[in-house]
Structure formats: C-alpha cells, structure tokens
Amino acid sequence: MPSLLTALVFWAAVAAVLLAQVMILRSTRRVLRAAAPARPALEWGFALVPALVLVVVLVASWRAAVRPPVLEFSVPALPGEIRS
C-alpha cells in the first residue's frame, strides 16, 4: 500500500496531466473547426495517441507504486546440505 504522500503526489500529477491533455484536445478541436486541414484524422491522431500512451504510463506507475516491496536474500548452504 502506498504512503499518503506517494498517493497525493501521484494523484496531483494525474490531475495536472489530465488538465493539460484536455486543453490540448480542446485546442485541437478549435483549430480543426477554424481551418479545415487536409487530413483531420492525422491531426486527431497526433492529439490522441500521446493521451493513450500517457494512460498506459500512469497505470504502470500506479501499479509500481502500490506493489509490495520484495526482499530477496541468499542463505549459504550448511555443510552436508543438498540444494536443488
């Protein structure tokens, strides 16, 4: 379980990124209405693909933040002990 500080920083970053991405999409829509480009699908692609990649990165980051820590150590074999 993440600490409160970790969760607050993560969700603040998510809110900032979400706001920025909404503004990017809003700007894209406004430009496409004002001047019709030759390939509007390409323009939307340049706006939506980074948003989708960002979602993947945020999900991976959250999973890494909430994963329990793993402690690994090796124990030396005792004399006469058989290990596979």
Side-chain angles (χ1 to χ4, degrees):
M1 193 69 188
S3 69
L4 180 61
L5 179 62
T6 303
L8 286 174
V9 168
F10 178 81
W11 290 112
V14 168
V17 165
L18 181 65
L19 178 64
Q21 195 61 43
V22 166
M23 297 308 285
I24 289 170
L25 294 174
R26 182 176 170 223
S27 173
T28 301
R29 187 181 60 189
R30 187 181 307 162
V31 168
L32 289 176
R33 283 184 183 172
R39 295 183 274 183
L42 185 63
E43 295 292 331
W44 277 112
F46 281 125
L48 291 175
V49 169
L52 297 176
V53 170
L54 193 56
V55 167
V56 171
V57 168
L58 289 173
V59 168
S61 298
W62 180 250
R63 285 185 180 172
V66 297
R67 184 178 353 173
V70 177
L71 179 62
E72 294 183 16
F73 57 93
S74 63
V75 178
L78 297 173
E81 185 178 1
I82 298 174
R83 294 206 175 176
S84 57

